Amino acid sequence: MKSKKEKRKKGRYSIRKKISGTLERPRLAIFRSNKEIYAQLIDDISGNTLASASSYDSKGTKTEQAAVVGKLIADNAKKAGVDTVVFDRGGFLYHGRIKALADSAREAGLKF
């Protein structure tokens, strides 16, 4: 039987086989730890991070922190001149904090 970590790793790799970010449409990569949540806009062709945001300084519940990170990454994307992204949930289920971050980023103006 596979562990939870192995299942996430397999899901992450299968997602990454299918999607890739470009300068015009970077990849919005999400990482969720037990305490924090992080988001990055990545141009996979050149290997550069265009913008990032984390819940390090946020207050509230974890879901509220994820919503704040979604708004922050959308604002940072606008500053970097990006309005359309490819969403990479990183092997995590699209539920809870991941969904809250995605919905908040969409409300703030990112398209994916």
Side-chain angles (χ1 to χ4, degrees):
M1 195 159 120
K2 291 187 178 181
S3 70
K4 192 183 258 191
K5 195 172 188 178
E6 289 170 338
K7 287 179 186 176
R8 186 182 90 77
K9 191 182 265 190
K10 184 178 178 189
R12 183 170 161 240
Y13 291 144
S14 71
I15 290 167
R16 284 291 288 126
K17 275 193 292 189
K18 297 171 190 162
I19 65 172
S20 179
T22 63
L23 189 59
E24 299 83 32
R25 191 169 180 192
R27 177 169 54 99
L28 174 59
I30 308 297
F31 178 73
R32 187 196 76 197
S33 71
N34 285 337
K35 292 185 178 181
E36 310 291 340
I37 190 161
Y38 307 92
Q40 288 183 327
L41 289 178
I42 302 168
D43 173 11
D44 289 315
I45 294 171
S46 64
N48 290 332
T49 298
L50 306 174
S52 64
S54 75
S55 64
Y56 188 70
D57 295 329
S58 302
K59 301 287 184 209
T61 65
K62 291 178 181 178
T63 307
E64 291 167 354
Q65 289 177 358
V68 169
V69 172
K71 185 173 177 351
L72 279 173
I73 195 68
D75 293 341
N76 292 345
K78 297 271 172 147
K79 290 177 189 171
V82 174
D83 61 345
T84 308
V85 297
V86 178
F87 190 70
D88 177 9
R89 58 187 173 86
F92 299 105
L93 296 178
Y94 187 80
H95 179 265
R97 289 193 275 164
I98 304 296
K99 185 174 190 280
L101 189 147
D103 291 342
S104 177
R106 280 192 191 103
E107 287 173 12
L110 270 184
K111 296 183 190 104
F112 54 94

